Amino acid sequence: MTPTGLEVSPFFTLVWWVTAIGIVVAAWSVVFLRDVLKAALALIGSFLGVAGMFVMLNAEFLAAIQVLLYAGAISILIIFAVLLTRDVFRGNPSNRFERLAFFLAGALMFFLTFVIIATPWGQLKDAQLSPEAQAGVAQVFSNTTPIIGQLLVQEYVLPFEVASVLLLAAILGAIVLVREE
Amino acid sequence: MLAPIGLEHFLVLSGALFSIGLYGALAKKNAVVVLMSIELMFNAVNVAVVAFSRYIAPATTAQLPDTARFLLTGQVFAVFVITVAAAEVALGLALVLAIYRLRATVHVTEMNLMKQ
């Protein structure tokens, strides 16, 4: 879809850059902070920033899920694990692969950035859409939640059911693993 | 003045987030921090698929008969990724707690029971 009025506005660009820099700084803190508890709090900040990105991508339903599941449930689980293991005082040390991993991750980042910039996405994005098609696309992205619901119980009903079995197995497995004998 | 935000911006952000997560998952000793880094990588992938759904899907699915069904495939993928991430982190942390109870450590370098 061609950019609409809001997306080319300087305000959108400014908000995007602030959110993006916030996400990267928070993710960097997760990896490099010495205090594991503070790293978990930085992780929540990163999750909230990604929720903001979803809002900017017209995915409001995903943004809500992101806040509920990631910033709510998963981060609480992680903070519980940090507190229960009482290993906080040992800090957040690196193993002996630190330099190799840093080099690998940096090389991957440069490679991905190069590929993303070199790929001619414009040919895909600027394909000519008829006015009716553009109106339809705009309508879909103005209210995504009912369409996601329909997709989940029609096209993707099998993965949907498999996901429920997976969650059930995960619940049982977690209970069995941490149960007191 | 900064360029308007497009697909490339979201993809580069996603790549940076994924690389930071990869570094954390490979280089950290604390198993909980490794799990946190894996969550960062999941988030990076979600940003990428939702950006593709927003910027690429409209142009490539416009010729199909029922466009609305295919536009949001990326968002449905992200829903499934989030589901799997929730299951993964619950089981991973249960494993970490079980190992902590047995060995009193959460450092992956000291989880070498099968090596001894």
Side-chain angles (χ1 to χ4, degrees):
Chain A
M1 188 171 144
T2 47
T4 52
L6 178 67
E7 290 185 22
V8 293
S9 72
F11 180 68
F12 184 91
T13 311
L14 181 71
V15 171
W16 191 91
W17 278 104
V18 170
T19 316
I21 291 170
I23 290 174
V24 172
V25 168
W28 191 264
S29 323
V30 170
V31 179
F32 286 103
L33 275 182
R34 297 214 174 277
D35 189 339
V36 181
L37 190 60
K38 282 181 188 155
L41 296 178
L43 187 70
I44 298 180
S46 173
F47 288 160
L48 290 176
V50 172
M53 281 293 157
F54 286 159
V55 172
M56 282 183 255
L57 284 163
N58 291 45
E60 289 84 5
F61 177 68
L62 275 181
I65 291 190
Q66 175 86 9
V67 172
L68 282 174
L69 255 170
Y70 266 116
I74 289 181
S75 35
I76 293 296
L77 263 182
I78 288 176
I79 288 174
F80 261 112
V82 170
L83 297 180
L84 282 175
T85 51
R86 285 178 294 180
D87 246 17
V88 182
F89 60 91
R90 290 174 72 181
N92 188 7
S94 299
N95 61 26
R96 62 200 164 88
F97 298 120
E98 185 188 10
R99 284 175 187 281
L100 181 65
F102 193 86
F103 176 75
L104 260 179
L108 178 74
M109 191 170 110
F110 278 111
F111 175 72
L112 284 177
T113 309
F114 174 75
V115 169
I116 289 163
I117 290 173
T119 307
W121 303 107
Q123 294 173 4
L124 280 171
K125 279 188 297 186
D126 300 337
Q128 285 302 312
L129 292 183
S130 64
E132 304 89 65
Q134 278 194 13
V137 168
Q139 200 203 344
V140 166
F141 278 107
S142 67
N143 192 7
T144 55
T145 312
I147 299 170
I148 292 178
Q150 282 175 10
L151 280 172
L152 278 179
V153 293
Q154 288 171 2
E155 257 82 9
Y156 299 103
V157 66
L158 183 64
F160 183 70
E161 299 296 337
V162 172
S164 57
V165 176
L166 173 75
L167 284 177
L168 181 66
I171 292 170
L172 292 178
I175 291 173
V176 170
L177 278 174
V178 297
R179 182 182 54 180
E180 300 283 345
E181 291 302 331
Chain B
M1 197 56 224
L2 292 168
I5 301 303
L7 176 67
E8 293 87 349
H9 291 79
F10 286 99
L11 291 183
V12 170
L13 170 72
S14 166
L17 202 53
F18 190 90
S19 304
I20 295 173
L22 181 71
Y23 168 73
L26 289 179
K28 288 297 161 183
K29 270 185 180 174
N30 192 324
V32 180
V33 178
V34 172
L35 278 171
M36 295 201 278
S37 306
I38 293 174
E39 296 305 317
L40 285 180
M41 290 157 81
F42 275 124
N43 265 294
V45 172
N46 277 346
V47 170
V49 288
V50 177
F52 277 125
S53 152
R54 177 74 178 75
Y55 287 97
I56 298 291
T60 50
T61 60
Q63 287 79 23
L64 296 171
D66 194 1
T67 306
R69 309 182 84 84
F70 301 101
L71 281 178
L72 297 182
T73 306
Q75 296 195 17
V76 176
F77 270 36
V79 170
F80 285 123
V81 170
I82 291 175
T83 313
V84 173
E88 175 258 351
V89 78
L91 276 181
L93 292 176
L95 277 174
V96 169
L97 285 183
I99 292 173
Y100 180 74
R101 202 177 284 158
L102 278 177
R103 315 274 317 248
T105 180
V106 292
H107 283 191
V108 287
T109 47
E110 294 161 16
M111 295 175 190
N112 51 2
L113 188 63
M114 294 177 80
K115 216 172 167 186
Q116 289 170 348

